[in-house]
């Protein structure tokens, strides 16, 4: 699959897919950002892309983002569909700081993967599902 990409900041490392290691691709901060605890900021990721028709990108924090930078993604997971593909449709990471923090240009703060759109679904109403109950929400325990 080929994806057209435009870079906003020539200083950040170009995106690369590392086959065999992970099918998630790291995204980097495109500028220095300083946040105080409780502040929100859209952190520029320095890329705009033209995704193939019928696909979307799922953007989530890296596993080390909270530990390293003290930020969480304000919308839990970002979804960018193929219609967001203009020259100025830059990608951002909506960050909420849980402590004072500094993020430098080029820091890896999130990751994305490209997914095919969900197929059309038709819901069929049923009085019973006829399956064994698992034990309710949160029933798998802590360990």
């Amino acid at each position: 699959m080929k994806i057209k990409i435009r870079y906003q900041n020539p200083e950040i490392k170009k995106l690369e897919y590392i086959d065999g290691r992970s099918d998630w691709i790291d995204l980097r901060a495109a500028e220095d950002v300083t946040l105080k605890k409780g502040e929100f900021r859209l952190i520029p990721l320095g890329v705009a892309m033209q995704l193939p028709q019928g696909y979307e990108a799922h953007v989530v924090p890296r596993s080390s983002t909270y530990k390293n930078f003290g930020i969480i993604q304000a919308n839990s997971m970002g979804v960018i569909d193929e219609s967001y593909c203009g020259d100025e449709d830059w990608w951002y990471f909506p960050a909420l700081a849980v402590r004072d923090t500094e993020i430098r240009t080029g820091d890896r703060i999130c990751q994305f993967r490209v997914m095919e759109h969900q197929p059309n679904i038709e819901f069929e109403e049923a009085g019973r599902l006829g399956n064994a109950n698992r034990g309710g929400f949160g029933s798998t325990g802590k360990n």
Side-chain angles (χ1 to χ4, degrees):
M1 175 181 298
K2 290 191 181 211
I3 296 176
K4 285 186 183 178
I5 186 166
R6 181 170 182 231
Y7 291 95
Q8 185 178 30
N9 181 343
E11 294 178 31
I12 62 171
K13 186 176 178 184
K14 305 280 191 232
L15 298 187
E16 61 183 334
Y17 180 78
I18 302 171
D19 194 24
R21 197 171 108 199
S22 172
D23 60 354
W24 290 84
I25 301 165
D26 289 338
L27 293 163
R28 298 169 184 270
E31 65 183 44
D32 292 345
V33 174
T34 300
L35 292 168
K36 297 285 185 201
K37 180 180 179 177
E39 280 188 313
F40 168 81
R41 174 93 183 269
L42 290 174
I43 299 175
L45 300 171
V47 295
M49 293 184 219
Q50 181 181 340
L51 299 173
Q53 200 63 25
Y55 287 84
E56 62 195 22
H58 295 179
V59 181
V60 298
R62 297 180 73 241
S63 60
S64 61
T65 298
Y66 180 80
K67 175 182 66 106
N68 291 340
F69 303 107
I71 58 174
I72 57 175
Q73 188 169 349
N75 61 345
S76 301
M77 181 183 96
V79 177
I80 300 171
D81 68 32
E82 75 271 24
S83 70
Y84 191 72
C85 61
D87 283 334
E88 303 299 320
D89 287 337
W90 302 112
W91 291 21
Y92 292 87
F93 181 82
L96 178 64
V98 297
R99 62 172 163 83
D100 293 356
T101 189
E102 291 185 9
I103 300 160
R104 297 285 174 233
T105 301
D107 284 343
R108 295 179 298 158
I109 58 171
C110 58
Q111 58 192 338
F112 79 100
R113 70 185 309 178
V114 175
M115 302 289 293
E116 196 168 3
H117 284 297
Q118 177 170 279
N120 290 332
I121 295 174
E122 181 180 322
F123 293 97
E124 178 183 338
E125 191 170 342
R128 291 186 46 81
L129 298 177
N131 303 305
N133 290 323
R134 236 182 75 176
F137 185 82
S139 63
T140 58
K142 289 173 131 179
N143 298 327

